[in-house]
């Protein structure tokens, strides 16, 4: 329908009396209307949005495409436009009226605001002084509140309440966690007072520090008296220090003098208790005379000095170990805190600081050393009784072995206690003195015994065996060495430490044996000396700490063996008739001139040489048996065989030299062709090989 409408209506401009804009006026003749309309329709752009909107609007109005409608369409549209413009003008009239009313309202409001401004200005002028005064008062109030807060905080931190002071200093109040917390606060206040002393006005800091120091001194005095009361009620038979006492001692360490007084009090009490306990263990009854049937008195073993001394030392060791274990938790577990407390106390007490500077060793607290010193003081009374009792045992017994065993036992416990209490202790000093006393008694008894032996002149036994006094001395030495072997001596100094014992218990007996040997003829003196040395070596060899002395004995035995070898060698030469031959050939060399001289020598004359050969033949079958018979009194068959073999070897070497020179002389004799004489080898036919076979 729209297409028909556009096809049937006239082109715009022609029907309305307007000229076409595309054709210049009066320059062209009019065109065909139909062609113009067609051209207009065809030239219209239906893609234009305005045309499309117009067409859509016409569709909505449901207008029929007829001549009447096309004639009225423009008028209807213009009418509607006029009506719309009228409506708009009417509405704007209403808006204008409203704007007028709003303008009047705004003017009224402006007038009211101006009035209010005038009233406010007047009120401001009237209230300005009051507000200034109120502002000043508010500032003053804020300052006062800040000062109150500061004062409240200052009082809370630096001022202690009366209840806290009473808890800190009053003996009626208990020593509990509250006391220690208040004490810690007081120490904190005292420390923080240094800040106050750094200000311009030091008066407040000095007054607070004076009051706090007074309260702290009272608190430490209260703590000191409380610890003493606790020590008095402590079960000293089982001195396990409770945690509360340990805590109190850690705190009291900040006052070194009071801390030391507490330790002195404890040590004195423990010394009395341990002394009484030791007396009870010795006698079976207390100091007051009350008998304890559950204890077997140590004095019952007084007849056996070694057991008696051992039981006393064992009891002392057990008591010392128990004492150390009871106190170890204080000085080892809490040692660092005590050290800090003592250091703080020294820093706060100038006199203690000066003393620490003079004595550098005491400048730092050593928990282990303090523990050792306290335990040593606890057993001082026991050490005193121990020294007296053991000293009596040492002086009252005159058995050499017993004296040495006691000395070795004391050495064992001295080493044990040195590990337990350190090298500087009263108990260790007592044991060292007793050990020296026992060794001195041992030396005295040994010297008396040796002097008695030397006064009695003893001949050598007929069989040249070691004398009885040497057997007794070696037996005694064996017991001493077995005892020494179990002692706690350093492996490096073990041998050196035993040399003095050998000098007292061994050397005198060997010297006595040597003196007896001097009065014997050879070779009996050498055999006797070897027998004594063999016995001594057999006694010393099993022990490693006599190695150097065994080496010395081996050297002496070798020297004596050489002497016996020479004696046996002399026996072979003299008994075999080889001695004259060897002596005659000794100055001769292997030159022909000397070899020619051999036949002229007296021992090599036929008769003499034949006789020597006969004597040699008679000697050889029993030579070894005869030589061994010479050493039958020597107690070592091995030494007898060795000495005889060495002597026989030397004899064979000499015989071989004689044989060589006889053969050389015979060769020269044969070369010169002399007659009327027999070869020397015919008169002396034995060979060195035969000699070695017969003497092997």
């Amino acid at each position: 329908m729209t297409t028909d409408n556009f096809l049937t209506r006239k082109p715009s401009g022609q029907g309305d009396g307007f000229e076409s804009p595309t054709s210049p006026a009066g320059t062209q003749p009019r065109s065909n209307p139909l062609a113009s309309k067609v051209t207009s329709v065809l030239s219209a752009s239906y893609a234009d949005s305005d045309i499309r909107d117009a067409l859509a609007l016409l569709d909505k109005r449901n207008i029929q495409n007829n001549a009447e409608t096309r004639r009225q369409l423009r008028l209807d549209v213009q009418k509607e436009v006029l009506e719309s413009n009228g409506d708009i003008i009417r509405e704007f009239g209403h808006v204008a009226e409203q704007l007028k009313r709003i303008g009047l309202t705004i003017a009224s409001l402006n007038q009211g605001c101006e009035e209010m401004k005038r009233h406010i200005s007047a009120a401001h002028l009237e209230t300005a002084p009051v507000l200034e005064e109120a502002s000043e008062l508010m500032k003053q109030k804020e300052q006062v509140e800040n000062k109150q807060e500061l004062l409240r905080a200052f009082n809370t931190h630096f001022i202690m309440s009366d209840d806290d002071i009473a808890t800190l200093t009053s003996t009626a109040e208990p020593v509990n966690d509250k006391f220690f917390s208040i004490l810690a606060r007081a120490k904190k206040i005292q420390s923080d007072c240094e800040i106050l002393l750094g200000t311009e006005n030091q008066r407040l800091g000095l007054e607070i520090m004076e009051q706090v120091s007074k309260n702290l001194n009272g608190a430490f005095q209260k703590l000191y008296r409380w610890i003493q009361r606790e020590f008095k009620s402590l079960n000293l038979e089982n001195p396990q220090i409770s945690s509360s006492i340990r805590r109190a001692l850690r705190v009291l360490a900040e006052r070194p003098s009071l801390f030391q007084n507490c330790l002195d009090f404890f040590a004195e009490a423990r010394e009395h208790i341990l002394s009484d306990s030791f007396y009870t263990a010795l006698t079976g009854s207390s100091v007051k005379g009350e008998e304890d049937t559950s204890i077997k008195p140590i004095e019952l073993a007084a007849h056996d000095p070694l057991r008696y001394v051992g039981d006393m030392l064992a009891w002392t060791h057990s008591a010392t170990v128990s004492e150390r274990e009871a106190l170890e938790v204080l000085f080892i577990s809490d040692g660092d805190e005590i050290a800090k407390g003592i250091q703080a106390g020294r820093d706060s007490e100038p006199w203690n600081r000066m003393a620490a500077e003079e004595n550098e060793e005491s400048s730092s607290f050593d928990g282990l050393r303090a523990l050792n010193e306290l335990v040593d003081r606890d057993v001082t009374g026991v050490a005193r009784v121990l020294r007296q009792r053991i000293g009596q045992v040492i002086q009252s017994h005159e058995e050499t072995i017993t004296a040495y065993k006691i000395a070795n036992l004391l050495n064992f416990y001295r080493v044990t206690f040195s590990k337990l209490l350190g090298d500087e202790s009263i108990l260790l000093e007592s044991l060292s003195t007793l050990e020296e006393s026992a060794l001195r008694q041992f030396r005295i008894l040994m010297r008396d015994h040796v002097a008695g032996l030397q006064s009695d002149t003893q001949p050598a036994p007929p069989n040249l065996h070691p004398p009885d006094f040497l057997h007794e001395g070696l037996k005694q030495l064996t017991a001493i060495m077995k005892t020494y072997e179990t002692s706690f001596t350093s492996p490096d100094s073990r041998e050196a430490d035993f040399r003095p014992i050998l000098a007292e218990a061994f050397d005198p007996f060997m010297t006595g044996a040597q003196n007896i040997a001097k009065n014997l003829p050879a070779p009996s003196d050498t055999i006797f000396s070897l027998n004594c040395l063999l016995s001594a070596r057999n006694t010393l060899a099993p022990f490693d700490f006599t190695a150097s002395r065994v080496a010395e004995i081996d050297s002496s035995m070798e020297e004596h063996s050489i002497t016996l070898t020479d004696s046996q060698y002399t026996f072979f030469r003299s008994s075999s008739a080889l001695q004259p031959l060897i002596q005659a050939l000794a100055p001769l060399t292997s030159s022909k001139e000397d070899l020619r001289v051999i036949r002229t020598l007296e021992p090599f004359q036929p008769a003499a040489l034949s006789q020597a050969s006969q004597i040699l033949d008679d000697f050889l079958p029993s030579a070894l048996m005869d030589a061994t018979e010479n050493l039958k009194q020597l107690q070592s068959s091995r030494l007898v065989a060795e000495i005889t073999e060495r002597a026989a070897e030397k004899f064979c070497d000499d015989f071989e030299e004689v044989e060589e020179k006889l053969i050389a002389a015979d060769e020269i004799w044969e070369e010169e062709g002399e007659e009327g004489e027999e070869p020397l080898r015919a008169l002396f036919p034995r060979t060195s090989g035969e000699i070695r076979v017969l003497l092997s």
Side-chain angles (χ1 to χ4, degrees):
M1 181 174 57
T2 302
T3 305
D4 294 339
N5 184 22
F6 275 95
L7 291 175
T8 56
R9 73 173 183 166
K10 294 179 180 180
S12 62
Q14 293 180 0
D16 297 332
F18 295 100
E19 294 181 356
S20 172
T22 60
S23 62
T27 59
Q28 288 181 348
R30 292 185 177 269
S31 59
N32 189 356
L34 180 61
S36 298
K37 181 174 290 189
V38 171
T39 302
S40 177
V41 171
L42 293 176
S43 62
S45 177
Y46 296 100
D48 188 2
S49 59
D50 292 338
I51 294 177
R52 293 173 67 183
D53 291 340
L55 293 176
L57 183 62
L58 289 176
D59 285 338
K60 290 180 180 178
R61 297 174 67 91
N62 296 321
I63 299 174
Q64 297 294 325
N65 187 8
N66 50 40
E68 184 64 22
T69 302
R70 287 193 295 271
R71 284 193 299 268
Q72 293 296 326
L73 177 62
R74 185 179 184 89
L75 295 176
D76 292 341
V77 171
Q78 290 178 348
K79 181 182 179 180
E80 290 178 2
V81 169
L82 291 175
E83 289 176 356
S84 298
N85 290 337
D87 293 336
I88 292 172
I89 290 171
R90 282 193 297 275
E91 292 296 329
F92 272 109
H94 294 302
V95 171
E97 291 178 359
Q98 294 294 330
L99 289 175
K100 289 180 181 179
R101 285 196 295 270
I102 292 172
L104 293 175
T105 303
I106 291 173
S108 178
L109 289 174
N110 288 334
Q111 185 178 0
C113 287
E114 292 295 330
E115 187 69 21
M116 291 177 66
K117 285 181 180 179
R118 288 194 298 271
H119 287 295
I120 290 172
S121 297
H124 182 70
L125 292 176
E126 293 177 359
T127 59
V130 177
L131 290 175
E132 291 179 359
E133 184 178 358
S135 176
E136 186 67 25
L137 291 175
M138 291 297 291
K139 291 180 180 178
Q140 293 178 1
K141 178 183 177 183
E142 185 178 358
Q143 291 177 356
V144 171
E145 289 178 350
N146 290 337
K147 291 180 179 180
Q148 286 180 342
E149 187 66 25
L150 181 61
L151 180 61
R152 188 180 302 108
F154 182 86
N155 290 335
T156 302
H157 188 78
F158 285 98
I159 305 300
M160 300 178 64
S161 65
D162 294 338
D163 293 339
D164 290 346
I165 294 175
T167 302
L168 205 59
T169 59
S170 176
T171 56
E173 296 292 333
V175 176
N176 50 19
D177 293 339
K178 182 180 179 181
F179 170 84
F180 289 111
S181 63
I182 295 175
L183 180 62
R185 182 184 170 218
K187 290 189 289 185
K188 183 69 167 56
I189 293 173
Q190 186 182 42
S191 175
D192 293 342
C193 281
E194 296 177 0
I195 301 175
L196 299 178
L197 295 177
T199 60
E200 295 181 359
N201 186 5
Q202 299 181 351
R203 179 180 176 183
L204 179 61
L206 290 173
E207 290 179 355
I208 294 177
M209 181 169 284
E210 181 181 359
Q211 183 62 35
V212 171
S213 299
K214 180 180 177 181
N215 294 336
L216 281 175
N217 290 334
F220 280 113
Q221 288 292 334
K222 172 185 176 180
L223 191 62
Y224 169 67
R225 290 189 292 271
W226 180 82
I227 292 175
Q228 283 192 325
R229 288 197 303 270
E230 290 297 317
F231 276 161
K232 289 180 181 179
S233 62
L234 185 67
N235 180 15
L236 294 176
E237 295 296 336
N238 184 22
Q240 296 291 337
I241 299 180
S242 63
S243 59
S244 59
I245 298 179
R246 296 206 313 272
R247 182 180 183 183
L249 286 173
R250 291 198 301 269
V251 175
L252 193 65
E254 297 180 17
R255 293 293 186 270
S257 56
L258 297 179
F259 178 75
Q260 189 60 44
N261 289 339
C262 282
L263 294 185
D264 293 341
F265 176 82
F266 179 79
E268 183 179 355
R270 288 301 300 161
E271 179 183 353
H272 289 305
I273 290 295
L274 290 177
S275 297
D276 294 344
S277 299
F278 188 47
Y279 179 82
T280 303
L282 287 172
T283 62
S285 59
S286 64
V287 179
K288 298 179 181 179
E290 300 175 355
E291 186 175 356
D292 189 350
T293 57
S294 63
I295 296 177
K296 182 179 180 181
I298 297 176
E299 287 183 344
L300 292 179
H303 62 281
D304 184 353
L306 194 61
R307 179 182 174 186
Y308 181 47
V309 173
D311 288 348
M312 287 191 290
L313 290 172
W315 189 95
T316 305
H317 178 262
S318 176
T320 305
V321 171
S322 300
E323 199 75 9
R324 182 184 175 88
E325 290 176 351
L327 299 176
E328 200 169 34
V329 67
L330 173 64
F331 290 95
I332 302 302
S333 301
D334 303 335
D336 293 340
E337 296 185 18
I338 292 177
K340 293 178 183 177
I342 290 179
Q343 187 61 42
R346 285 173 177 163
D347 293 340
S348 63
E349 298 178 357
W351 53 90
N352 284 331
R353 192 186 311 166
M354 293 172 61
E357 291 175 356
E358 294 176 359
N359 185 7
E360 294 182 358
E361 293 183 358
S362 62
S363 61
S364 60
F365 177 79
D366 187 349
L368 182 61
R369 185 179 64 187
L371 172 63
N372 293 339
E373 290 176 355
L374 184 58
V375 174
D376 184 52
R377 291 174 61 189
D378 293 350
V379 297
T380 299
V382 175
R384 190 165 48 248
V385 177
L386 196 68
R387 185 170 181 173
Q388 179 184 3
R389 294 270 182 152
I390 296 179
Q392 291 175 352
V393 172
I394 293 172
Q395 296 299 325
S396 61
H397 288 79
E398 297 183 355
E399 294 182 9
T400 307
I401 299 298
T402 301
Y404 182 76
K405 287 184 176 180
I406 291 175
N408 191 66
L409 184 63
L410 289 168
N411 173 267
F412 168 79
Y413 277 100
R414 179 180 62 79
V415 174
T416 302
F417 280 113
S418 67
K419 297 177 181 178
L420 196 62
L421 300 178
D423 295 331
E424 297 179 0
S425 67
I426 298 175
L427 179 59
L428 200 65
E429 181 181 352
S430 299
L431 292 178
S432 299
T433 303
L434 289 172
E435 182 183 359
E436 293 174 1
S437 176
L439 288 174
R440 186 167 53 251
Q441 180 72 2
F442 164 73
R443 295 188 188 98
I444 291 173
L445 294 175
M446 284 300 303
R447 289 167 186 170
D448 292 343
H449 181 63
V450 172
L453 293 176
Q454 291 176 349
S455 62
D456 298 334
T457 303
Q458 296 186 12
N463 56 3
L464 300 181
H465 285 188
D468 293 338
F469 75 86
L470 182 59
H471 280 299
E472 181 183 349
L474 293 177
K475 182 179 179 181
Q476 184 173 260
L477 179 63
T478 301
I480 292 174
M481 289 190 294
K482 288 181 178 179
T483 303
Y484 182 79
E485 191 175 25
T486 61
S487 63
F488 280 174
T489 54
S490 173
D492 298 334
S493 62
R494 192 174 180 83
E495 187 170 353
D497 293 343
F498 194 68
R499 286 173 188 166
I501 305 299
L502 289 175
E504 298 291 342
F506 177 70
D507 292 346
F509 296 99
M510 296 303 296
T511 301
Q514 291 173 5
N515 292 333
I516 293 176
K518 292 177 181 178
N519 299 323
L520 295 175
S524 297
D525 57 344
T526 307
I527 294 175
F528 177 76
S529 297
L530 270 175
N531 286 335
C532 294
L533 290 172
L534 279 169
S535 296
R537 190 188 188 285
N538 293 335
T539 301
L540 297 178
F543 303 96
D544 58 350
F545 49 84
T546 59
S548 61
R549 186 56 62 93
V550 171
E552 293 176 7
I553 292 175
D554 288 340
S555 179
S556 298
M557 290 176 60
E558 183 63 25
E559 293 176 2
H560 288 297
S561 297
I562 292 173
T563 302
L564 283 182
T565 300
D566 293 340
S567 175
Q568 290 287 75
Y569 172 60
T570 302
F571 167 74
F572 279 121
R573 289 174 57 170
S574 60
S575 299
S576 63
L578 198 65
Q579 180 72 17
L581 303 180
I582 295 173
Q583 290 177 349
L585 294 174
L588 301 180
T589 64
S590 300
S591 64
K592 289 185 177 182
E593 290 77 8
D594 288 344
L595 293 176
R596 290 191 187 99
V597 175
I598 292 177
R599 286 181 172 274
T600 63
L601 298 177
E602 183 179 353
F604 293 93
Q605 298 303 313
L609 192 58
S610 298
Q611 184 180 2
S613 178
Q614 184 61 43
I615 294 173
L616 177 62
D617 290 340
D618 295 339
F619 167 72
L620 287 175
S622 61
L624 281 180
M625 295 179 60
D626 294 340
T628 305
E629 185 68 17
N630 294 335
L631 302 179
K632 65 179 181 179
Q633 293 175 321
L634 188 61
Q635 290 184 314
S636 173
S637 58
R638 180 185 60 82
L639 270 181
V640 172
E642 289 179 359
I643 292 170
T644 304
E645 287 176 4
R646 287 202 295 256
E649 183 65 25
K650 290 179 66 177
F651 175 75
C652 291
D653 292 341
D654 290 346
F655 187 88
E656 190 172 349
E657 291 180 4
V658 172
E659 180 186 17
E660 289 176 355
K661 289 187 177 181
L662 290 179
I663 294 173
D666 285 343
E667 289 176 353
I668 293 173
W669 174 77
E670 290 177 358
E671 289 177 0
E672 295 177 352
E674 296 181 6
E675 297 180 357
E677 293 182 3
E678 294 185 39
L680 295 178
R681 291 296 292 162
L683 300 174
F684 199 81
R686 284 290 183 181
T687 64
S688 58
E690 294 173 348
I691 298 297
R692 290 184 183 278
V693 171
L694 291 172
L695 295 182
S696 61

